[in-house]
Amino acid sequence: MNEYFAIEKDERGIVWLTIDKADSQANVLTESLLEAFDHALVQVAQMHPKALVIRSGKASGFIAGADVKAFANVPGVASAEQHILRVHEILHRLESMAFPTVAAIHGFCLGGGLELSLACDYRVCANDEATRLGFPEVKLGIFPGYGGSVRSTRLLGDLKALELMLGGRTVSGRAAKKMGLVGMAVPLRQLRSAAIDLATRQPRVSRAGCFKRLPAMAPLRPLVVHFMTRELDKRIRRDHYPAPYELLDHWRNTAGDEPAMYASEASRVARMINATEAQNLIRVFMLQDRLKAEGNKADFDARQVHVIGGGVMGGDIAAWCALRGMRVTLQDRAPEYLTRAVKRAHQLFARKLKDPYARQAAVDRLMPDHRGDGVRTADVVIEAIFEDIDAKRHLYAEVEPRMKPDAVLATNTSSIPLAVLGEHLERPDRLVGLHFFNPVAKMPLIEVVHDQRTDPAMIKRATAFARHIDKLPLKVRSTPGFLVNRVLMPYLLEAVELIEEGIPAPVIDRAAMGFGMPMGPIELADTVGLDICLSVAGKMAEALHNPVPQQLGRLVNDGRLGRKSDHGFYAWKDGKPIKELGKEPVAMSDDDISDRLILRLVNESVACLREGVVEDEDLLDAGVIFGTGFAPFRGGPMHYVHSRGTEAVQKRLHELEDRFGEHFHADDGWGAIA
Ligand code: NAI
């Protein structure tokens, strides 16, 4: 056993190479691990084994991927290319061993980890839900560079392999077996015997048949690329996310010629990883890690959650917690209010859990409890009833005396300060905000709201709880709108202002999406509900020095609430807004529109930093990206400011203030932004 591996030969003559990187929860392919792996292969060859099985000693899985942290500091294209070529060499050594090689996979097998397993003759994996295989590289602005584009097309055929690499999604063990990525998928307890079976039986090594390699024929390639590019264009823009397009280009130029493919992989990935888009996406990956590290599961052994209010949010929070393994009791005013929540929960389980036993177990973990018996035993109580101060206070008065002494009392309020809600509590120090975002199943962030009275132990528990349910906790101070709604609101209000100035809604949305937002602000307002926007805008008007635009009130009075009433700023049909661009010229450029929207968000971000709503710029960027979907390839609002230049941004704000009014007045916090 060294820092990375244990190597042992069993009585059958099979060598077991167990990857177990010291002081790390997961195996990550750092440069030093890869070099040690190369040495280990030499050592194994000298043992003259019947076969080699590579497995992981980590509970979390096989190999989580390449060392993304090292990617953040690549010292240039040439050295990145050198590194990739060296890894090619190491995996070629593995591939050309004189004896059969097997990868026995459980848990995460991603990116470089999957590429390493593809260099083995056989792959077997566990068939549970925790086993995930895939190529997430495009999410980091690159494509598989450790031979993955070569070996996956060889194994799966070109179309399936391209689809896997272009989508960046992961597949379960069962799905991996179905698509041919692994030869066997078995229950975890049989993984070892299945590996022995492959190592001794040595079936024919799997390769895609001629038919599946047909698309790689030179005359067909342009057609395939044309078709796949069209599909990509529906989802993303080449100037924002170039990696998938680059992969298609790489494949078109080299498919069918393996040496050329390896060389092109190395040169292209090395170039891409040094480009701004990839560096920003890698930054987002690291910000996600930072948020994960904000909560430590070991700090709080939470098992039971009691949710009060089975509406839009409470119902979905309860369902999510049950999906993630918590025992959940769900309370509302009467049993009939819970029916819809439970039905929605079952739909979520059906979507997320393919294994019928796992699905039934989730159903069993969620218990409707209109009397609120669960309060007594819950580790966390989450209140998600109407946004009404008296109703919430009244509820707490009833709930608090029945809670376990060390349980967390949490509110999902989106706008009421903790100090107000906690006023009559016996122990106001245990009230925290757990502000989930809508839709709960899709939005990764939870704002963990606290003020100077909150017990630090409760904040610790709340962040740990967020990690238990696989969400990203962001600690925010209890100020109006917290972080996410606070920065989003000026952006939305500016969009309404633009409408009032006569700019058509589709033009405004187009400008925001041109910047890289996942959805335009007008469509977003319609989706959230104009009544909700109006109410939040009203509550924040004073703090933002921004009166609520009249148009918002008018629409709500007319019953035009957005998507849910089929009419808001847009008319909606079948859940989609009807966007018609008129023929008449628009009096403002897309650049001006997008600056008006984005710089208001940016200016408010600076105000949040000045007020200490979050601790630092990185956390702010993380919150805004994971809470609003802010263009990830730009690395967050503050990172965007630095790339554009703080002085240039402030100059632009002054210019916008002159033209459009004082709501563009640069915040006092700019002085502290280096
Ligand atoms: P909702 O109106 O859909 O659901 C509220 C539920 O609470 C209803 O089922 C109601 O019967 C129940 N309820 C009311 N008083 C109760 C009581 N005394 N005891 C038990 N149940 C009671 O509301 P929604 O949208 O789910 O909002 C809930 C909370 O979450 C609010 O504080 C809101 O500000 C916050 N929030 C809402 C978001 C959204 O997008 N809707 C996003 C983030 C937070």
Side-chain angles (χ1 to χ4, degrees):
M1 179 86 203
N2 62 18
E3 198 186 333
Y4 303 110
F5 313 108
I7 299 174
E8 55 193 336
K9 192 171 180 180
D10 71 10
E11 65 285 359
R12 296 176 195 82
I14 298 176
V15 167
W16 296 80
L17 191 158
T18 309
I19 310 178
D20 198 351
K21 188 169 181 290
D23 305 323
S24 167
Q25 286 202 336
N27 290 323
V28 174
L29 298 180
T30 57
E31 199 155 0
S32 53
L33 186 145
L34 284 161
E35 288 304 332
F37 182 70
D38 193 41
H39 282 128
L41 289 179
V42 175
Q43 193 186 333
V44 170
Q46 285 162 355
M47 293 163 85
H48 302 293
K50 291 250 168 58
L52 165 67
V53 178
I54 302 176
R55 62 179 174 179
S56 155
K58 301 284 183 211
S60 63
F62 184 67
I63 297 171
D67 182 13
V68 178
K69 284 200 191 88
F71 290 173
N73 311 306
V74 273
V77 178
S79 77
E81 183 167 355
Q82 218 171 24
H83 164 74
I84 295 171
L85 290 173
R86 171 72 185 127
V87 179
H88 284 174
E89 210 174 271
I90 296 170
L91 295 187
H92 278 310
R93 186 197 290 283
L94 171 61
E95 190 172 49
S96 47
M97 285 292 183
F99 38 81
T101 49
V102 184
I105 300 162
H106 73 276
F108 289 113
C109 175
L110 303 176
L114 180 57
E115 295 179 284
L116 184 145
S117 80
L118 285 172
C120 293
D121 297 321
Y122 312 108
R123 280 152 304 283
V124 52
C125 74
N127 64 4
D128 49 29
E129 295 284 337
T131 295
R132 308 299 303 179
L133 295 88
F135 289 121
E137 282 86 346
V138 287
K139 293 187 178 157
L140 295 177
I142 54 175
F143 62 76
Y146 292 167
S149 72
V150 191
R151 296 193 176 98
S152 67
T153 42
R154 191 201 289 160
L155 176 70
L156 303 174
D158 298 80
L159 294 188
K160 252 195 227 168
L162 282 174
E163 201 191 318
L164 194 66
M165 290 183 283
L166 288 172
R169 73 192 166 94
T170 62
V171 296
S172 69
R174 268 200 204 96
K177 160 77 181 96
K178 212 163 147 197
M179 70 192 301
L181 201 54
V182 299
M184 289 168 95
V186 298
L188 183 61
R189 62 179 187 284
Q190 291 167 12
L191 194 59
R192 187 186 151 84
S193 47
I196 294 173
D197 174 58
L198 284 171
T200 47
R201 195 162 47 85
Q202 300 175 18
R204 205 162 57 86
V205 171
S206 174
R207 266 177 178 252
C210 299
F211 186 66
K212 287 187 178 161
R213 295 306 315 259
L214 218 54
M217 306 262 294
L220 292 181
R221 275 184 248 154
L223 267 173
V224 173
V225 169
H226 173 75
F227 172 75
M228 290 195 159
T229 304
R230 229 179 40 194
E231 290 304 305
L232 282 179
D233 287 343
K234 287 183 198 161
R235 286 194 290 120
I236 52 173
R237 285 172 50 148
R238 188 190 290 255
D239 53 341
H240 294 166
Y241 296 101
Y245 297 93
E246 185 89 20
L247 170 62
L248 285 178
D249 209 43
H250 153 73
W251 178 80
R252 180 180 40 208
N253 288 323
T254 56
D257 176 354
E258 291 198 351
M261 250 186 140
Y262 281 116
S264 150
E265 223 188 55
S267 64
R268 285 178 193 252
V269 174
R271 179 167 41 75
M272 290 158 76
I273 207 155
N274 279 280
T276 314
E277 294 82 7
Q279 286 296 312
N280 285 349
L281 291 172
I282 290 165
R283 169 181 163 75
V284 175
F285 179 90
M286 311 239 286
L287 290 177
Q288 178 173 347
D289 265 6
R290 168 122 192 247
L291 287 185
K292 283 183 183 169
E294 291 280 291
N296 181 357
K297 286 187 198 178
D299 285 341
F300 185 30
D301 183 22
R303 290 159 192 261
Q304 194 203 323
V305 185
H306 183 75
V307 181
I308 311 177
V312 175
M313 293 304 288
D316 285 3
I317 292 169
W320 180 262
C321 292
L323 179 77
R324 285 289 168 253
M326 295 276 160
R327 272 185 292 122
V328 184
T329 42
L330 177 58
Q331 174 185 349
D332 206 300
R333 290 172 294 168
E336 56 270 26
Y337 294 111
L338 294 173
T339 323
R340 262 188 55 189
V342 171
K343 201 168 144 199
R344 270 209 322 275
H346 289 191
Q347 285 166 352
L348 176 75
F349 302 154
R351 245 190 358 258
K352 297 271 180 183
L353 301 171
K354 298 297 167 221
D355 175 1
Y357 294 104
R359 205 181 309 151
Q360 186 56 44
V363 168
D364 293 343
R365 282 194 295 268
L366 177 60
M367 280 161 287
D369 171 26
H370 74 273
R371 283 196 205 88
D373 295 333
V375 171
R376 290 187 190 287
T377 46
D379 303 301
V380 183
V381 173
I382 303 176
E383 167 276 306
I385 68 168
F386 303 137
E387 190 73 337
D388 180 288
I389 297 173
D390 289 336
K392 288 188 195 272
R393 280 179 174 170
H394 194 78
L395 180 76
Y396 299 163
E398 202 247 312
V399 168
E400 188 185 26
R402 294 194 291 137
M403 286 174 61
K404 287 201 295 192
D406 53 353
V408 177
L409 176 60
T411 172
N412 187 44
T413 181
S414 34
S415 60
I416 311 172
L418 288 187
V420 174
L421 288 179
E423 207 168 285
H424 304 303
L425 281 176
E426 200 142 298
R427 280 187 47 201
D429 61 307
R430 81 156 147 192
L431 180 67
V432 295
L434 279 175
H435 186 225
F436 289 76
F437 294 85
N438 189 6
V440 175
K442 283 224 177 98
M443 301 298 288
L445 192 78
I446 298 182
E447 286 177 321
V448 177
V449 187
H450 59 91
D451 64 13
Q452 68 281 6
R453 269 211 295 200
T454 319
D455 177 0
M458 286 296 154
I459 303 176
K460 216 176 196 182
R461 284 180 188 190
T463 51
F465 168 72
R467 292 306 301 137
H468 277 292
I469 57 169
D470 284 334
K471 295 282 181 193
L472 303 173
L474 174 72
K475 283 181 261 179
V476 296
R477 271 196 349 153
S478 177
T479 51
F482 314 133
L483 173 71
V484 172
N485 286 344
R486 163 95 176 262
V487 302
L488 204 53
M489 200 34 78
Y491 163 83
L492 291 179
L493 291 177
E494 193 60 27
V496 180
E497 186 106 17
L498 282 158
I499 292 240
E500 289 188 338
E501 288 171 25
I503 311 291
V507 174
I508 300 169
D509 281 350
R510 182 185 66 197
M513 290 177 71
F515 176 82
M517 301 304 269
M519 184 188 272
I522 302 292
E523 184 176 343
L524 178 65
D526 264 5
T527 306
V528 171
L530 299 187
D531 50 339
I532 293 183
C533 291
L534 181 66
S535 140
V536 180
K539 287 190 175 110
M540 293 177 60
E542 200 187 331
L544 290 175
H545 310 292
N546 198 133
V548 181
Q550 289 178 354
Q551 174 126 3
L552 207 51
R554 272 200 302 274
L555 288 174
V556 173
N557 278 339
D558 293 347
R560 285 170 56 171
L561 306 182
R563 180 181 171 171
K564 59 188 161 192
S565 66
D566 280 338
H567 219 154
F569 287 109
Y570 290 112
W572 287 71
K573 196 159 179 267
D574 303 326
K576 293 224 156 66
I578 303 172
K579 294 189 176 181
E580 277 160 3
L581 275 172
K583 294 223 165 25
E584 59 279 15
V586 179
M588 198 176 292
S589 72
D590 275 19
D591 278 351
D592 273 353
I593 297 173
S594 112
D595 264 356
R596 283 182 62 176
L597 298 168
I598 300 300
L599 293 196
R600 286 215 55 198
L601 183 153
V602 160
N603 200 33
E604 203 60 38
S605 300
V606 171
C608 286
L609 287 169
R610 174 177 48 76
E611 290 175 24
V613 176
V614 285
E615 268 167 41
D616 58 44
E617 291 190 14
D618 278 354
L619 286 175
L620 185 136
D621 278 352
V624 179
I625 291 169
F626 295 110
T628 72
F630 183 95
F633 67 94
R634 298 204 187 264
M638 293 316 296
H639 189 75
Y640 170 66
V641 165
H642 292 298
S643 356
R644 191 166 159 178
T646 46
E647 270 176 35
V649 174
Q650 287 178 74
K651 195 163 154 243
R652 181 70 164 140
L653 277 170
H654 295 320
E655 194 184 308
L656 292 172
E657 185 180 2
D658 287 345
R659 279 168 69 191
F660 303 106
E662 63 175 359
H663 51 288
F664 283 101
H665 186 72
D667 187 85
D668 291 344
W670 279 98
I673 308 293

